[in-house]
Each structure stands twice: as structure tokens, then as C-alpha cells.
Amino acid sequence: MTTRNDCFALDAQDRLSPLREQFALPPGVIYLDGNSLGVMPQATPQRVQQVVRDEWGADLIRSWNSAGWITLPQRVGDKIARLVGAEAGELVVADSTSVNLFKVLSAALAIAKADAPQRCVIVSERSNFPTDLYIAEGLARERGCELVLCEPDEIEGLLDERVAVLMLTQVNYRTGRLHDMAALTAKAHAAGVLAIWDLAHSAGALPVDLKGANADFAVGCGYKYLNGGPGAPAFVWAHPRHAERFWQPLSGWMGHAAPFEFTPHYRPAAGIARYLCGTPPVVSLAALECGVDTVLAAEEHGGMPALREKSLALTRLFIELVETRCAGQGLTLFTPRDERQRGSQVCFAHDEGAYAIVQALIARGVIGDFRAPDIARFGFTPLYTSFADVWDAVEHLKQVLERGEWREARFNERAAVT
Ligand SMILES: *Cc1c(COP(=O)(O)O)cnc(C)c1O
């Protein structure tokens, strides 16, 4: 069995450990929630202050040109492209994940219909993140289409000649299960179906290869593993084969071919730039760039493959330590044991106490989160989580369970955000 000293030894051998210094980790906190809101990079406050005080405060409107504000969505997009197997010029940062999903889903339905008018079904997973399902439900209703939800092993059997789009999240937010993007995209294409991927829990956490997988469209989140800060803008990608075909349903001026000609009619910009809609959120984009840079910094330490290797070592260790040190305490592993099917998080189900266990851990400085109805969720960010953190987190969990601490009333009061 792994000991505490083994964990220190693992940290000493870890070639990614210098990357932790990029982050302002608060003292006394073990942060296992980077899959929900990434830790603030050390560089962010100063950069945001510079944007606000110098670029906005002193240079005012001139900064759209002089500080390159106007091209920030593309510039930060090109950086994210390197993390998800896309080329520069194929990806932009804009809006939220929900809004971007609306755009690509709308485009995919239009493309499918143009090629085969009877295709009007969207297939997704029942346990996909709710906003993805709500967006698809709303759009399906508006278009007179149907949203069909299924379990992961039912996907293939549903892909028939009525289906327009397969819309999936690569890593499930509750189970932490990782889909094989290339295999499922190939199955979709073989059935004449377009594939949209949500990378919210994979971009910045594991190697993603959109071009290699031949995906059609992708969206992803800026504030999770990309460390862009609360409400950071999201990103959107379209395969270049759709470049001149995909429609932007939110035809705002920033996605116009020539916004500053101020013509009365909409003419979409070439390629992905048409997925911009309104004026970009400059301060948030600057913060997101700092976050993306923390992930790109791993390129000198083995890059995404090294991050993946460490992520699996962390989740493997956490599972081993919880199952041995907290045995008989009512926790059941909810994340796939097969590492090819595991993202960068581990979830345990607990019948009565998942919410309260997480609250008791937070009171001890170990921050994870709770997902209804019975899941305690722990995210492992290889950029800044250490093996000693894993040991210490499990030690706290063991004490919370053995002492029945989670039964205290104060840990059982539900807050608005869980
Ligand atoms: C976090 C997450 C989102 C977030 O969407 P917002 O529009 O930023 O609120 C969407 N989809 C998935 C799968 C997520 O995990």
C-alpha cells in the first residue's frame, strides 16, 4: 500500500511540479475543484490591472488597435487551439459554453438538413451536463426537431437516417467517464451524422485531438482547466471542411466580414470569426490568456501527454487510498476504474451523506464539490495538485467519516451553489 512517504517521493520525481508555482494557491487549502473553477494564476492580477489601468485608463478607446483588443478572441483562440488538436485560425473565444453550443448545434442542424431534409434528431446522453441538454431541447423545439437522450452504450444503436447530430461531452461532469472521441465520431459519420463535442472537462486536462478525431464542431469552457477565472469566456471550433457553410444564428456585428463598414446587411466573416457576436469582454479575455498560458507552460515539461500521465497517477492514487483507508465507510466508486475511460476527476457515491461529507471537508480546507443526488466529486488538476495533496485529502476524508463529523447539522444545510 502507498504510504505518505511514497507520496513525497512521487512529488520529488514529478517533472511537472515546478508548474505549481504559477498559481496563487491559498495556504491551508487542498483544492480538488479545478474542474469547476481553476485556481488563479499568479500572473492574472497584474495583467488585469494593466489592462484596466493602462490600456483602458490611459489609452482609452485607442487600445482596440494599440493594445490589440480587437484581435484578442483570435489570439487567445490560437493558443487554445494548440491544446485541443486544432490549427491557428480555426478556433475563437466568445460568449459562454451554453451560447456557443447553441451556435454550433444550430449550424449542424442546418447543414444536416441541407444534405438530407429528413434528418432532424439530436442524440445526446441523458447524463450530459444539463445546460447542454436545455440548449438542445430549446433549439429542437424551435426547429421542430427531436432531442433523443440515451445511456452511453445505447448511442451507436440510435444513429440512423433520421439523426442529424450526435452531441456529447467528452468527459462526463458527474461520472468522470471519458468517451473515445475518434471512435464515436467515426460511427456518427458512418451513419451520416455530424458530431459535436463539448470539451468543458477535457480541454487543458488531457490530450484532445479534434482534427485527428475528425470532429465537426467543438465548444469548451474557459474557467475550468484553462484557469481563466469566474465566468471566463468560452471557445468554439468548427472543422475547416465546414468553413464556408456553417451558419451563425446570432449574426452580430463582430462576426461580420467588415464590421466597421457599417453596412445595413449582414455578411458573415470568413471561417470561425463569424462565431463572434458582440463586443469581446476584454478584461475577461486578458485573464483567460493568463490561464491558458499556465497550461501551455507544460509544453516544456512534456506537454499534454505528461499532464495526462500525472492526472491518471493522481486519480489512481486517490482511488487506492480512499478504498483502502476509508473502507467500510459507505463510499462507492462512481468513476470508471478503466483508465482509458477516466477523465481527471474521481467521484464517489454515498447514500446519505455525500453533500455533508463535502461540506465537512471544505471546513477542513479540502475543497471538492457535490453533485445531486449523492455524488462527492474531486477534480485533480495535474498543473497544481501534488501527490502529498492526495494523501492529505484522504486523511481528512478518513477522519470526517470515522468521527461521523459529516452528521453535524451545520454540514447538512444546503447552499445555493453546491
Ligand atoms: C461547465 C460546463 C458548462 C458551462 O456552461 P456555461 O455556459 O459556462 O455556464 C457547459 N457544459 C458542460 C459540459 C460543462 O461541464
Side-chain angles (χ1 to χ4, degrees):
M1 198 179 92
T2 308
T3 65
R4 186 153 194 263
N5 278 339
D6 294 337
C7 293
F8 285 123
L10 288 167
D11 283 328
Q13 293 158 13
D14 173 19
R15 62 184 161 155
L16 294 173
S17 62
L19 294 170
R20 183 176 165 108
E21 285 154 29
Q22 300 183 101
F23 295 93
L25 281 158
V29 166
I30 297 173
Y31 194 66
L32 303 181
D33 218 354
N35 54 329
S36 226
L37 175 65
V39 169
M40 185 179 77
Q42 298 275 14
T44 303
Q46 205 185 345
R47 174 70 186 125
V48 167
Q49 197 180 30
Q50 183 190 28
V51 171
V52 171
R53 202 182 44 200
D54 304 342
E55 297 180 6
W56 176 21
D59 294 341
L60 288 166
I61 202 163
R62 292 170 289 191
S63 285
W64 283 106
N65 292 313
S66 61
W69 285 354
I70 197 68
T71 52
L72 263 175
Q74 283 91 345
R75 231 171 51 225
V76 182
D78 287 351
K79 288 186 173 186
I80 295 172
R82 279 154 61 185
L83 300 173
V84 295
E87 308 284 327
E90 293 176 2
L91 188 152
V92 285
V93 175
D95 304 312
S96 64
T97 306
S98 305
V99 172
N100 286 332
L101 196 58
F102 179 85
K103 296 185 246 183
V104 297
L105 200 49
S106 176
L109 286 174
I111 290 173
K113 191 171 179 193
D115 291 345
Q118 85 285 1
R119 288 192 187 269
C120 203
V121 169
I122 303 163
V123 171
S124 195
E125 243 183 286
R126 189 167 290 111
S127 69
N128 198 346
F129 191 74
T131 200
D132 296 43
L133 299 182
Y134 303 159
I135 291 285
E137 189 182 318
L139 190 60
R141 192 182 312 122
E142 193 182 292
R143 296 285 172 87
C145 291
E146 192 189 347
L147 171 64
V148 173
L149 301 181
C150 65
E151 299 306 313
D153 57 359
E154 296 168 340
I155 294 170
E156 209 183 327
L158 285 171
L159 301 175
D160 62 22
E161 69 293 338
R162 296 178 315 123
V163 177
V165 187
L166 174 63
M167 178 192 87
L168 293 173
T169 298
Q170 194 182 12
V171 174
N172 186 281
Y173 80 106
R174 285 186 80 232
T175 58
R177 177 180 166 147
L178 167 66
H179 280 302
D180 184 336
M181 188 194 285
L184 279 167
T185 301
K187 282 173 186 160
H189 288 174
V193 173
L194 295 168
I196 294 178
W197 289 94
D198 186 332
L199 309 178
H201 287 276
S202 41
L206 45 96
V208 177
D209 189 2
L210 287 171
K211 291 292 267 293
N214 204 20
D216 292 290
F217 295 96
V219 299
C221 186
Y223 50 80
K224 291 171 180 160
Y225 293 98
L226 297 181
N227 309 313
F235 65 87
V236 56
W237 171 84
H239 194 288
R241 70 173 159 271
H242 300 304
E244 299 314 319
R245 274 188 100 190
F246 65 89
W247 183 244
Q248 155 67 297
L250 304 172
S251 43
W253 72 312
M254 284 294 149
H256 191 279
F260 289 91
E261 285 179 8
F262 294 104
T263 56
H265 294 293
Y266 179 73
R267 190 157 46 87
I272 198 69
R274 73 185 53 172
Y275 270 162
L276 302 177
C277 180
T279 304
V282 171
V283 181
S284 297
L285 269 159
L288 174 59
E289 185 166 25
C290 294
V292 172
D293 284 344
T294 63
V295 189
L296 289 173
E299 283 178 349
E300 286 163 28
H301 302 258
M304 291 311 303
L307 286 173
R308 174 66 172 159
E309 197 184 314
K310 181 175 172 188
S311 151
L312 285 176
L314 291 166
T315 55
R316 189 187 308 133
L317 175 67
F318 185 72
I319 293 170
E320 179 211 312
L321 291 177
V322 171
E323 291 191 331
T324 51
R325 307 194 73 228
C326 307
Q329 295 288 348
L331 291 172
T332 311
L333 183 65
F334 193 64
T335 297
R337 222 174 266 283
D338 178 353
E339 296 188 349
R340 289 164 304 179
Q341 291 187 14
R342 192 189 306 151
S344 204
Q345 72 187 49
V346 177
C347 299
F348 280 93
H350 190 282
D351 280 348
E352 311 161 73
Y355 178 80
I357 290 166
V358 170
Q359 292 307 308
L361 282 170
I362 291 172
R364 287 164 165 268
V366 180
I367 303 181
D369 60 24
F370 164 79
R371 286 296 174 261
D374 60 352
I375 303 296
R377 186 174 76 154
F378 304 94
F380 296 85
T381 309
L383 281 175
Y384 51 75
T385 307
S386 69
F387 293 93
D389 286 340
V390 174
W391 177 275
D392 292 340
V394 176
E395 177 59 32
H396 282 292
L397 178 60
K398 183 172 184 285
Q399 291 181 19
V400 162
L401 291 164
E402 283 178 356
R403 298 176 186 179
E405 214 167 279
W406 59 275
R407 294 183 191 277
E408 291 175 30
R410 62 186 172 128
F411 297 133
N412 285 275
E413 285 160 24
R414 294 278 169 108
V417 175
T418 61

